[in-house]
Amino acid sequence: MTAVPQERRLVTAIPGPKSQELQARRSAAVAAGVGSVLPVFAARAAGGIVEDVDGNRLIDFGSGIAVTSVGSSAEAVVRRASAQLSDFTHTCFMVTPYEGYVAVAEALAEVTPGDHAKKSALFNSGAEAVENAVKIARSYTKRQAVVVFDHGYHGRTNLTMALTAKNMPYKNGFGPFAPEIYRVPVAYGYRWPTGPESCGPEAAAQAVDQISKQIGAENVAALVIEPVLGEGGFIEPAKGFLPALRKFATENGIVFVADEIQSGFCRTGQWFACEDEGIVPDLITTAKGIAGGLPLAAVTGRAEIMDAAHSGGLGGTYGGNPVACAGALGAIETMREQDLAARARRIEEVMKGRLAAMQEKFEIIGDVRGRGAMLAVELVEDREGKEPNAAATAALAKACHNAGLLVLTCGTYGNVLRFLPPLVIGEDLLNEGLDILEEAFTQL
C-alpha cells in the first residue's frame, strides 16, 4: 500500500505549477468534452488523502465518485491484482475462462439481497451494466418498455442517456435516443408539493397511475431505479415509495432493477442501499465501489431471469477482466474484514451531526440528507421558496478545493454538495474536512 501521510498539506496554490503544466499538455491532447472537477494532477493516493504532483495533500470527500471506498491503494486490492498481473492480464472470458470471474460471481451472489438462486454477468462500466440489465429484462419478459424516474442517472451510452433524466451535460446534442423509455415521478421529499410526510405513497400512486394509463403494465419489461439517486441530487426516495413499486412490479411481471452503481458496496451503511426498506430486486447493477478502482461492473439477479438471454448474447472483450476481478475480490475482502458498512454508519453519525448544526447556522442550507457515507446538502436562495442556488454551490466547492478539500457537486439543478469520503478515512480528516466546509460557508 502506498505510504501517503494521512494529513492535509498545502505547499502551493491549487492548482500548483506542475499541475498547470500538465493541464496545458492535457488541453492540447485530450478532447475538450472530457471535464474534470479540479485540475490538480494526482501523484499518489491512499486512505483519505489524494497527493498531487506539486506535493499538496487534499482531503478526499469524493472517492473518485464513490469508487475508492476501500481507499485508493488498499492492501488486499493491490496484493491480489498484482499477483494476477504477473500471471496473465487477459485471455477474454469468452475465449478461455478463468477462476477469478467465477469467484466474483459467487461473491456477488452472497452479498447481494435475497436468498434465491442468483447468477451474474460482468462488464466494464456502470452504463454497460444498466444496458445489459435492460437487455436481459427484455429477453426474459418479451416486452419492450422501460420505466425510469425523474432525477435518475444511469450512464452515457445511447440507451443509458435515454434512461438518464438530466439534459446538461449528459444528453444535450447527442440524440436521437433509444425509444420505449418512459419517465415517471420519484418521491423527492424535500420538493414534494404536499410535504415529505405524504410524499412516498403519493409519488408511488402517481407513478403507478402513469405506468398503467400511459404505457400499460403488461408492456413494461423493467422498472429501473437507484435506491438512493446519485447524480440527480443524492435523493433518498421517501419511505414507502420503493416497497410500493416493488409490489407493483411483482404483481405485473415487471423486472425490478436496482441501480446500485453509486450506492452499493457498503456506501450507505449496508451492503446495498435497497436493504434499508427490505427491497429484494430481481436484478441489481453494480460498478464503482466493486473493485477498488479497477474497471469492473456486474448485473446480478435471479438465475431464471439472468439465463433468459441466449448463449453469446451477453459479454464483451474486456468484461470481467482478470486483474479487475482480482481487485474486486480484494475490495470485498477489505469490506468484510474491516466491516466497512459499520464504518459508513459511523461516518454518517459524525458528518450528519456537523451538517445539521451548519444547517441551523446557515440559511442557505435547505436540506441535509443521505445515508452512511453518501451524504449531501441542498443549497437554496431561501428556505421558504426553496429556489435552487447553483452559484453558491459552485462557489463553495471552489473554496473547499482551494483549502485542500476535494468535494463534488450534483443535482438536477446543480445545487447539491455531495460527500463520498472513502470508508477508510480517519475521523481526524473527516472532522478537518468539515471544519473547512464550515469555514467556506462562513466566508460565502
Side-chain angles (χ1 to χ4, degrees):
M1 181 170 162
T2 313
V4 179
Q6 294 298 293
E7 54 190 36
R8 180 177 64 107
R9 180 178 76 165
L10 296 182
V11 293
T12 72
I14 302 289
K18 288 181 181 174
S19 278
Q20 289 180 40
E21 284 173 27
L22 283 165
Q23 182 64 24
R25 282 172 56 190
R26 173 207 164 121
S27 297
V30 178
V34 181
S36 289
V37 169
L38 177 56
V40 302
F41 282 72
R44 305 187 299 161
I49 291 287
V50 175
E51 184 174 296
D52 73 9
V53 289
D54 291 288
N56 298 299
R57 293 194 206 112
L58 284 72
I59 298 173
D60 184 8
F61 274 16
S63 298
I65 319 184
V67 168
T68 55
S69 299
V70 295
S72 302
S73 45
E75 185 276 330
V77 174
V78 173
R79 167 171 42 84
R80 286 178 179 254
S82 299
Q84 179 58 53
L85 266 172
S86 65
D87 289 340
F88 60 92
T89 60
H90 178 72
T91 66
C92 185
F93 191 76
M94 299 183 300
V95 178
T96 55
Y98 36 86
E99 185 183 358
Y101 189 119
V102 178
V104 170
E106 289 169 342
L108 288 167
E110 280 179 32
V111 299
T112 51
D115 55 9
H116 50 275
K118 294 177 206 160
K119 292 190 177 183
S120 289
L122 305 185
F123 305 98
N124 304 296
S125 70
E128 268 189 81
V130 172
E131 191 136 337
N132 277 278
V134 170
K135 283 165 59 174
I136 292 162
R138 282 176 167 165
S139 187
Y140 177 71
T141 60
K142 307 291 187 278
R143 304 171 181 178
Q144 292 185 338
V146 178
V147 172
V148 288
F149 294 82
D150 283 342
H151 308 288
Y153 175 85
H154 301 288
R156 296 173 183 263
T157 58
N158 187 265
L159 176 61
T160 57
M161 279 192 294
L163 300 175
T164 291
K166 190 176 180 181
N167 174 51
M168 235 355 233
Y170 306 116
K171 301 166 75 164
N172 196 52
F174 298 145
F177 302 115
E180 286 303 306
I181 309 297
Y182 300 88
R183 196 172 315 283
V184 297
V186 77
Y188 187 171
Y190 178 64
R191 294 193 173 275
W192 196 253
T194 58
E197 293 74 22
S198 46
C199 176
E202 285 182 9
Q206 276 192 29
V208 165
D209 184 62
Q210 284 188 27
I211 295 165
S212 304
K213 299 292 189 296
Q214 297 178 21
I215 314 160
E218 68 280 4
N219 296 315
V220 179
L223 187 153
V224 184
I225 189 164
E226 301 157 277
V228 177
L229 281 69
E231 296 292 316
F234 278 33
I235 300 161
E236 276 190 278
K239 296 296 182 209
F241 183 74
L242 291 171
L245 290 171
R246 169 69 272 194
K247 182 172 181 285
F248 174 74
T250 303
E251 289 170 350
N252 290 280
I254 297 166
V255 176
F256 186 100
V257 182
D259 177 344
E260 291 255 16
I261 286 156
Q262 192 161 168
S263 59
F265 290 102
C266 301
R267 176 54 60 182
T268 62
Q270 290 157 303
W271 273 95
F272 294 95
C274 57
E275 295 175 65
D276 184 63
E277 288 187 90
I279 302 296
V280 177
D282 298 313
L283 301 178
I284 185 165
T285 60
T286 53
K288 291 193 183 290
I290 194 174
L294 294 168
L296 189 70
V299 183
T300 302
R302 297 184 184 279
E304 68 275 15
I305 300 177
M306 290 298 298
D307 281 342
H310 52 272
S311 180
L314 304 177
T317 303
Y318 293 108
N321 169 271
V323 181
C325 285
L329 294 171
I332 291 169
E333 176 190 324
T334 306
M335 289 170 199
R336 282 184 165 137
E337 287 189 355
Q338 298 186 22
D339 194 357
L340 293 190
R343 291 282 283 274
R345 294 193 294 273
R346 175 60 187 158
I347 287 169
E348 176 182 353
E349 199 181 326
V350 172
M351 291 194 77
K352 263 207 170 157
R354 293 283 308 271
L355 293 171
M358 288 183 217
Q359 184 180 21
E360 284 184 20
K361 195 169 165 187
F362 304 110
E363 187 71 20
I364 196 172
I365 301 177
D367 195 28
V368 174
R369 58 177 178 254
R371 291 204 305 275
M374 187 174 181
L375 302 170
V377 292
E378 178 163 354
L379 305 184
V380 291
E381 299 283 353
D382 66 272
R383 287 192 191 160
E384 196 64 39
K386 298 184 181 178
E387 184 65 31
N389 195 334
T393 309
L396 275 162
K398 187 169 174 43
C400 289
H401 296 162
N402 289 339
L405 173 66
L406 207 167
V407 296
L408 307 174
T409 61
C410 67
T412 300
Y413 312 109
N415 69 321
V416 177
L417 270 177
R418 58 173 156 172
F419 310 112
L420 292 160
L423 306 183
V424 295
I425 194 170
E427 281 193 30
D428 53 341
L429 286 178
L430 201 57
N431 277 303
E432 187 179 354
L434 290 162
D435 292 342
I436 292 167
L437 178 66
E438 186 159 3
E439 179 60 24
F441 272 110
T442 304
Q443 300 297 325
L444 199 63

